Amino acid sequence: MDTSPPGEREFSNGDFYSGEVKGLLPHGKGKYSWSDGTVYEGDWDEGKISGKGKLIWSSGARYEGDFSGGYLHGIGTMTSTDESVYSGAWRMNVRHGLGRKEYCNSDLYDGSWKEGSQEGRGSYSWTNGNRYIGNWKKGRMCGRGVMRWANGDLFDGFWLNGSRHGSGVYKFADGSLYFGTWSRGLKDGKGIFYPAGSKHPSLKKWCRSLEYDDTGKFVLSRSSSIDVDELRSLSNVTRSLSMKTSSSGGTARTSWTSDHPRDLTSKSARSLGSGEGQEKNRIAYEREYMQGVLIRESMITSSVDRSLKIRPPSTLTKQVSARTFMTFLTGEHNYHLMLNLQLGIRYTVGKITPVPRREVRGSDFGKKARTVMFFPRDGSNLTPPHKSIDFSWKDYCPMVFRNLREMFKLDAAEYMMSICGDDGLTEICSPGKSGSIFYLSQDDRFVIKTLKKSELKVLLKMLPRYYKHVGDHENTLITKFFGVHRITLKWGKKVRFVVMGNMFCTELKIHRRYDLKGSSHGRFTEKIKIQEKTTLKDLDLAYEFHMDKLLREALFKQIYLDCAFLESLQIIDYSLLLGLHFRAPGQLNDILEPPNAMSDQESVSSVDVGVTQELSIPPKGLLLVTHEPNSVNTVPGPHIRGSTLRAFSVGEQEVDLILPGTARLRVQLGVNMPAQAHHKLDEDKEESATIELFEVYDVVVYMGIIDILQEYNTKKKVEHKCKSLQYDSMTISVTEPTIYSKRFVDFLHKVFPEEM
């Protein structure tokens, strides 16, 4: 029997408590000492540490602040064994909320935390004088933010995983500016450089036009990418020199280091001489980078009086091309449509998810498999009030698409938050002639496309066989469908939607996009219409893609299966959507400088055009290694859920792709597939060998089969006969499904040739 005085108790394991009690439990003020030397002194609530107190661990770490239910919970200060100090909010023993941490090396973070990591808005100051103010995610700089280096350089723009990624402006300490885009810390794409002393857009106004104050104050969290055409119009410039190439750009540093101003000093600028100093403030340079390497540069000069004020664009959103379908959906109507769509999908997912999962039945595909709900503006017993207009919502085959989403390994909550989150949807331009409107989810995972009534009928008709096909073939390249819906607006207009996976949802930048059908008539893009994100066509494709033997075999095995499936449904007009991420090749400098020339960084060896370059499959700049699930992201993407592919070059084992200095990625069919692109040989040109030597690139390939909702119906048969009278029937797009399928596959054999 315990004979200790009231309020004191020594336990058999060596622990000791002294203080107020309630029955046999500590309650009120008290001190508890564990046998390992840990000591807590403070408030108790019926045997649990709750209230305010001080906890000192045997290791020397100490915490003073709020507790709840035995957890560090509330506001408190933790001093770790390395003498780093965190003061701020806690939740269930982890830093969560607003807090300030001073590290043992005197670095300082002040801002928002989530589940123990920096997430949200915050400021980080390094002991070397560098400082970042902006968005964080999982302990890394991510989103909009401003980085100021100790040497005076400043970057204001977008970040991803601690590296500059997206649009932004880099201000050098000497006053020069570069407006452009970055990819994983490297300049990538087009931009404009303003030398020190030249006239340029107001940095303050430019930052505000990006919806972000130059002091670091947040206005909004999203912005479009920089449009070089708009930048060019800011200065009202005209070209004064012909386009030239240069390799003086060097390689951009990572996000933790500043860009050195010297590598942006153009040779042409230095050649102007002091006698032309009066024109200096009119000069700027349009530049294009590929993975940190400057591949093109041209001088642009002002053609207007210097006294004219340069105004930054009011918005950076690219203009949407003219549409032939539902052109009334602009402005306020478009806003209501997007809001209605989000409300409807939130209702659909919330209603069907709690229903116990079961196998689909024939009735789940029938005409009665519909859910209809009216959404009045003021709300109802079943719907919330909203700021849009009254509308009716129809959800097609809800149980089928619920099972499809689970089959595609898509979490219902993530799906709903991706489309229905606070950041909303972004309207994007349609590359095709259908006139459909496309919306992109805030995390780029999903594409929402408006459908014609005829397309909806085809989709619902093929749905039973589509469900079986994607269930039998997890590596299918065919578009993933996640839901089909219809909105009826108050004036009676009906708008139909399909939610699909984004085939280009990747952290890597997609440098080129192609829509390939296998036909040739009209399958080209006018050069004046080609921009950075233009989707090109069959005749625009000037490269073949060589890949590992087993990767290619897996690709064509699935292409045969998918085309046979579409052919059986009498579907035509489908195409392969191909996205290319180019890695800056080692021989790129040879292209950009004449032989024996010296770059700013190092000498470039002269090129012997008589030597044939040896190709490497897989490419030398991309490394295939044995797959390690713990080293890569294995979460299913919005387009591909299939198995990890095997590569012949790695002993027929499952493989990951390593991009040196960038990432390690899981290789799946249509996703993260390494290849080597080189220029197609033209036997009529004597210099073809030279082209073959130089234009060889390491690429990462993304692909999928899209536009699968066009039947070969009576209308298309008539169109085929009429066009066949004018053109070669094998060159026109519309043709009989069997011929279309064979021509499509034959064309892809040329695009992805077999190694001899």
Side-chain angles (χ1 to χ4, degrees), residues 121 134 195 205 294 459 501 577 612 691 726-727 747:
R121 301 170 185 176
K205 291 183 178 179
L294 179 62
L459 176 53
L577 185 61
T612 304
I691 297 175
Q726 298 177 280
Y727 311 103
F747 177 74

Side-chain angles (χ1 to χ4, degrees), residues 325-326 328-329 337 341 392-394 396 437 439 449-451 485-489 492-497:
F325 175 55
M326 296 190 303
F328 76 97
L329 291 175
L337 191 64
L341 184 62
S392 292
W393 173 262
K394 177 179 279 190
Y396 294 89
I437 301 175
Y439 298 109
K449 175 188 176 183
T450 57
L451 294 177
H485 318 285
R486 189 187 76 185
I487 291 174
T488 304
L489 302 174
K493 184 65 180 180
K494 297 177 180 179
V495 187
R496 302 160 187 89
F497 295 93

Side-chain angles (χ1 to χ4, degrees), residues 405-436:
R405 291 192 291 268
E406 291 189 1
M407 187 188 300
F408 295 144
K409 302 176 184 178
L410 181 63
D411 181 76
E414 290 183 4
Y415 176 69
M416 185 166 63
M417 289 306 299
S418 176
I419 297 176
C420 309
D422 294 337
D423 287 335
L425 304 172
T426 302
E427 184 180 359
I428 55 178
C429 294
S430 167
K433 299 179 181 179
S434 66
S436 297

Side-chain angles (χ1 to χ4, degrees), residues 8 22 34 55 77 85 139 223 225 239 250 257 291 316-318 377 386 399 402 406 527 566 635 655 667 675 686 691:
E8 293 186 2
K22 182 178 181 180
W34 283 265
L55 181 61
T77 299
V85 179
S223 176
S225 60
R239 298 187 183 275
T257 58
Q291 292 293 299
L316 293 178
T317 305
K318 294 185 179 180
R377 181 183 177 93
H386 54 85
M399 182 57 72
R402 176 257 178 86
E406 291 189 1
K527 290 185 177 181
L566 296 173
V635 177
V655 291
V667 180
E686 296 179 358
I691 297 175

Side-chain angles (χ1 to χ4, degrees), residues 462 465-466 469 478 560-569:
M462 71 158 56
R465 294 185 61 182
Y466 172 87
H469 181 78
I478 291 178
Y560 289 136
L561 290 170
D562 289 341
C563 287
F565 166 70
L566 296 173
E567 181 184 333
S568 69
L569 293 172

